Every structure is written in C-alpha cells, then in structure tokens.
C-alpha cells in the first residue's frame, strides 16, 4: 500500500535585522501518540486528542522535544552538514508555532501554510520523520528552505489524525 504524500514549501522573506544572532524513533511504530478517547463523535475525539497533546506539551519543559521532533531536527541538520552548513538550533518560539500549526492542520485535515512570518515546510502522509525530510530534500522549494544558509533556528512538529495521517511542520528563522 502506497501512502498518500503531499508536500508544500513556503518562504517569507524577512527584512534584514538583528535576528541573525538523540534517541532514534522506531521506524515500525506510530510516531505521534494519541490521547485516550473521551467521546464517540470522531471529530470531537480528534479535538480532544489534539487538545490533550497540546496541554501535555505545555506542561513539559519548553525546551524538551518529543522524539519525533528531535528526529526531524536531526535529519534536517544531517542534510545541512552534507552541504557544509551550520546546524540549526531549536527555537522555543518556532517549536510552539510549529506544534500549533501541525495540530491545526491535523484537526482541520488541511495542508495549509501558517500566516506567521517564518519560512515553512509542511507535508502530510509520510509515516516517519526520515521519510518526510527525504521528501522535502527531493523538492526544490523545500530543499531551498532546509539548505538556506541564512537560517539559524528551527521548530518542528508532527500530529497524527485518528485515521493515521501524519501532518508535518518545520519552520525556519534567522
């Protein structure tokens, strides 16, 4: 069975300014955990799951990444290293933004770019972080975001719908 895969890249050019300053995930297990179900309505279940996930993330230390998030960053930085680029540093603000946007896409089942002033790669349908980064690297717009030498910071997230589709979000900033 071939998973439906969709990719989308976005770049918002920012004016120059003062902002220039792991454990492997198992490939055979679902990556985005789902909280317990509390309602028989599928849409209500999805909203409850996403809200529970967001609440649990907010309670965790802001600088603590989930394994899937660590791996997105790790695979992205591995690609940058191949081209002699500095590793991207995890940014708490970008993590929060990427998590919120991935959760929104999953709850609405829509692959849409954020309106935040960031460069962004989004995707849906890839079963693992290694695969989504590979797919982004095989797309010129996504690759341009990953290999942009001006970007210094990253945020990344993934959320899974009850049907199993994973929505991915990766955001970049100087």
């Amino acid at each position: 069975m071939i998973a439906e895969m969709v990719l989308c890249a976005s770049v918002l050019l920012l004016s120059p300014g003062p902002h220039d300053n792991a454990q492997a995930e198992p490939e055979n297990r679902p990556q985005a955990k789902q909280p317990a179900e509390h309602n028989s309505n599928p849409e209500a279940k999805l909203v409850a799951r996403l809200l529970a996930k967001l609440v649990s993330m907010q309670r965790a230390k802001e600088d603590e990444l989930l394994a899937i998030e660590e791996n997105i960053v790790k695979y992205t930085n591995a690609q940058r290293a191949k081209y002699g680029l500095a590793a991207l540093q995890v940014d708490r603000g970008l993590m929060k933004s990427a998590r919120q946007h991935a959760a929104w896409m999953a709850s609405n089942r829509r692959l849409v770019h954020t309106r935040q002033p960031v460069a962004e790669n989004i995707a849906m349908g890839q079963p693992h972080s290694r695969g989504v980064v590979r797919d982004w690297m095989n797309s010129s717009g996504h690759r341009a975001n990953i290999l942009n030498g001006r970007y210094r910071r990253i945020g990344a997230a993934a959320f899974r719908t009850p049907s199993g589709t994973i929505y991915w979000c990766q955001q970049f900033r100087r």
Side-chain angles (χ1 to χ4, degrees):
M1 181 169 143
I2 297 175
E4 174 185 348
M5 290 185 244
V6 181
L7 301 169
C8 193
S10 166
V11 176
L12 177 63
L13 297 176
L14 301 173
S15 60
H19 31 270
D20 277 274
N21 267 357
Q23 170 185 356
E25 69 195 27
E27 294 290 314
N28 60 349
R29 288 192 348 207
Q31 295 180 13
K33 295 180 182 177
Q34 297 181 28
E37 299 176 9
H38 299 293
N39 192 317
S40 61
N41 178 330
E43 294 302 315
K45 287 179 189 177
L46 176 62
V47 170
R49 287 179 182 144
L50 293 173
L51 288 175
K53 180 104 174 166
L54 286 173
V55 167
S56 70
M57 285 189 297
Q58 289 172 347
R59 288 183 181 149
K61 293 179 182 177
E62 287 187 11
D63 59 349
E64 187 176 313
L65 300 181
L66 301 173
I68 191 169
E69 296 165 341
E70 287 179 10
N71 286 335
I72 296 167
V73 173
K74 177 179 79 175
Y75 296 135
T76 298
N77 281 333
Q79 291 298 321
R80 289 175 62 88
K82 287 181 183 178
Y83 292 87
L85 296 170
L88 297 166
Q89 300 302 310
V90 173
D91 179 280
R92 290 193 318 223
L94 287 175
M95 286 304 302
K96 181 178 178 181
S97 177
R99 286 170 174 167
Q100 289 173 343
H101 192 60
W104 181 90
M105 289 190 299
S107 69
N108 289 284
R109 293 189 176 109
R110 293 185 60 208
L111 191 67
V112 178
H113 283 287
T114 184
R115 294 181 185 196
Q116 299 299 315
V118 295
E120 178 177 72
N121 289 343
I122 57 176
M124 63 176 271
Q126 293 80 358
H128 303 286
S129 56
R130 183 185 311 260
V132 75
V133 173
R134 181 197 62 234
D135 288 350
W136 282 330
M137 287 301 293
N138 288 327
S139 165
S140 62
H142 300 96
R143 185 175 51 252
N145 280 341
I146 290 171
L147 299 180
N148 187 321
R150 293 177 300 178
Y151 297 145
R152 299 285 184 251
R153 299 181 284 162
I154 187 171
F159 277 83
R160 184 171 53 141
T161 66
S163 63
T165 302
I166 300 175
Y167 285 80
W168 303 88
C169 182
Q170 150 178 97
Q171 296 179 346
F172 308 91
R173 192 178 286 159
R174 292 179 186 205

